[in-house]
């Protein structure tokens, strides 16, 4: 494992090399936020209490129209503000500080990349976030403070048309934000040196398709508990597989880069 992490460090150390992150729920499990698909601990194994017909229904727009309660029960538990970033999130921030960050594509809705200090220009929240909220019928915006207030006693409802309001996180059946496609067009057609995919089962498209689109001269790294997606279906000779905990890997990577103290300082400052 150490040899493989050294390879990643060697690439990152080179002048002008930048890293593009593609991350998912697994980078936030150590913060106390369950992912979707980990056996036993994942949300999908623990959704019985919401009495869903199938696990994905909790994030399905058609199901939400008929039964918004399941989503709001979960949203109450996962709402940003209750969690702090992991070592991995701070590693992304450190790459930014070191001028080594090209972009961070995230499927997460927990906004922990922002909380760790990664700037908006680098973040692509492919599945949206809790930052804004809109009515699912007339699209009127609701301020977050109002949404939070209503969440305490009822399903947030539009003042204009009485439709249900939901945070702008992308549900199954909804389009991804235009920023996702625009940035990917830009990034995939320019130089990409290192693609670091972490904490994702690569099961949700179109996001899951990105690693397959990375050019052949770019080194792909997978930091995950399991081998998945294009790393499994179409492995490349140059792929680096680090099937370990995300935090552990970046801890070692930071050490090899000589960034250990700075990373620890960021984590401590919180
Ligand atoms: P997933 O399908 O649950 O996959 C998570 C992956 O991470 C799995 O392969 C795990 O083995 C792996 N994993 C879990 N913990 C660790 C760890 N500590 N170190 C290394 N690997 C780990 O989640 P995806 O992100 O792939 O699925 C996409 C969905 C999940 C998106 O639509 C998200 O919005 C949604 N989601 C987000 C959050 C969040 O914002 N934190 C939480 C739960 C689900």
């Amino acid at each position: 494992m150490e040899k493989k992490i050294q390879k990643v460090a060697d690439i990152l150390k080179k002048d002008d090399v930048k890293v593009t992150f593609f991350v998912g729920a697994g980078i936030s499990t150590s913060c106390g936020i369950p992912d979707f698909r980990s056996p036993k601990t994942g949300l999908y194994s623990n959704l019985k209490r919401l009495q869903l017909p199938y696990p994905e229904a909790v994030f399905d727009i058609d199901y939400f129209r008929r039964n918004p309660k399941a989503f709001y029960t979960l949203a109450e538990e996962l709402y940003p503000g209750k969690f702090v970033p992991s070592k991995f999130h701070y590693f992304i921030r450190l790459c930014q500080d070191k001028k080594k960050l090209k972009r961070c594509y995230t499927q997460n809705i927990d906004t922990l990349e922002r909380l760790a200090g990664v700037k908006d220009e680098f973040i692509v929240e492919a599945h949206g976030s809790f930052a804004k909220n809109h009515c699912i019928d007339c699209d009127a915006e609701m301020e977050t403070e109002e949404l939070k207030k209503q969440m305490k006693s009822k399903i947030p409802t539009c003042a204009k048309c009485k439709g249900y309001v939901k945070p702008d996180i992308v549900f199954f059946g909804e389009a991804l934000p235009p920023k996702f496609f625009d940035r990917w067009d830009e990034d995939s057609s320019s130089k990409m040196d290192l693609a670091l995919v972490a904490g994702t089962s690569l099961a949700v498209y179109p996001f899951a398709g990105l690693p397959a689109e990375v050019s052949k001269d770019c080194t792909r790294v997978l930091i995950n508990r399991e081998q998945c997606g294009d790393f499994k279906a179409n492995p490349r000779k140059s792929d680096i597989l680090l099937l370990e905990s995300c935090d552990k890997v970046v801890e070692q990577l930071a050490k090899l880069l000589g960034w250990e103290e700075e990373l620890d300082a960021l984590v401590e400052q919180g």
Side-chain angles (χ1 to χ4, degrees):
M1 179 69 70
E2 172 125 13
K3 266 191 189 162
K4 290 197 211 169
I5 301 179
Q6 182 70 57
K7 262 191 187 173
V8 182
D10 290 344
I11 297 171
L12 209 45
K13 269 181 192 166
K14 286 185 198 152
D15 287 345
D16 293 336
V17 160
K18 291 194 177 183
V19 53
T20 306
F21 286 90
F22 302 86
V23 299
I27 69 162
S28 297
T29 50
S30 65
C31 312
I33 308 175
D35 63 7
F36 271 178
R37 295 177 184 82
S38 280
K40 292 192 184 141
T41 55
L43 281 176
Y44 287 169
S45 317
N46 289 287
L47 284 177
K48 279 203 191 94
R49 66 201 156 88
L50 301 181
Q51 294 180 317
L52 296 161
Y54 55 96
E56 284 88 352
V58 70
F59 293 112
D60 185 295
I61 192 64
D62 293 329
Y63 186 79
F64 179 82
R65 275 180 195 286
R66 286 177 273 121
N67 183 358
K69 195 163 180 280
F71 166 74
Y72 270 108
T73 306
L74 203 62
E76 179 75 37
E77 288 168 27
L78 298 183
Y79 211 85
K82 296 183 178 167
F83 304 95
V84 293
S86 65
K87 211 165 224 186
F88 195 94
H89 292 102
Y90 283 113
F91 182 78
I92 304 174
R93 153 77 189 276
L94 197 51
C95 289
Q96 168 188 280
D97 295 354
K98 300 277 184 189
K99 312 261 181 287
K100 288 281 181 188
L101 181 62
K102 181 175 167 95
R103 202 80 70 189
C104 175
Y105 289 85
T106 180
Q107 296 170 91
N108 295 344
I109 50 177
D110 55 30
T111 59
L112 289 179
E113 297 87 0
R114 286 177 193 280
L115 209 61
V118 181
K119 293 179 190 152
D120 184 64
E121 64 195 270
F122 291 110
I123 303 177
V124 179
E125 283 158 337
H127 296 163
S129 81
F130 281 94
K132 286 187 177 174
N133 323 281
H134 286 91
C135 169
I136 60 166
D137 290 328
C138 76
D139 205 36
E141 188 169 349
M142 180 184 277
E143 290 300 322
T144 294
E145 283 318 306
E146 176 62 20
L147 180 105
K148 282 184 174 170
K149 200 171 112 195
Q150 292 199 20
M151 264 174 75
K152 284 184 188 151
S153 57
K154 61 173 188 141
I155 305 298
T157 307
C158 178
K160 285 189 189 155
C161 77
K162 304 286 174 234
Y164 293 135
V165 174
K166 80 167 189 53
D168 290 357
I169 58 175
V170 180
F171 276 28
F172 295 112
E174 289 188 308
L176 271 61
K179 185 178 176 184
F180 170 80
F181 299 100
D182 293 347
R183 290 290 172 278
W184 183 244
D185 276 351
E186 207 178 288
D187 291 344
S188 58
S189 57
S190 59
K191 180 168 118 57
M192 197 178 281
D193 314 293
L194 188 62
L196 214 156
V197 181
T200 172
S201 61
L202 292 176
V204 180
Y205 283 84
F207 192 102
L210 300 186
E213 291 181 32
V214 163
S215 69
K216 295 274 191 277
D217 55 357
C218 170
T219 306
R220 304 190 308 178
V221 181
L222 177 69
I223 307 177
N224 207 45
R225 292 223 169 99
E226 52 171 348
Q227 193 174 347
C228 55
D230 204 54
F231 288 89
K232 197 171 175 182
N234 297 297
R236 300 180 188 176
K237 251 192 177 159
S238 58
D239 284 349
I240 301 176
L241 298 183
L242 303 166
L243 305 183
E244 249 291 1
S245 124
C246 294
D247 290 345
K248 253 193 193 166
V249 170
V250 291
E251 199 175 299
Q252 282 199 46
L253 186 53
K255 210 184 254 181
L256 295 168
L257 288 163
W259 300 357
E260 196 184 12
E261 277 179 26
E262 284 158 285
L263 182 61
D264 286 346
L266 283 175
V267 174
E268 262 168 48
Q269 280 162 22

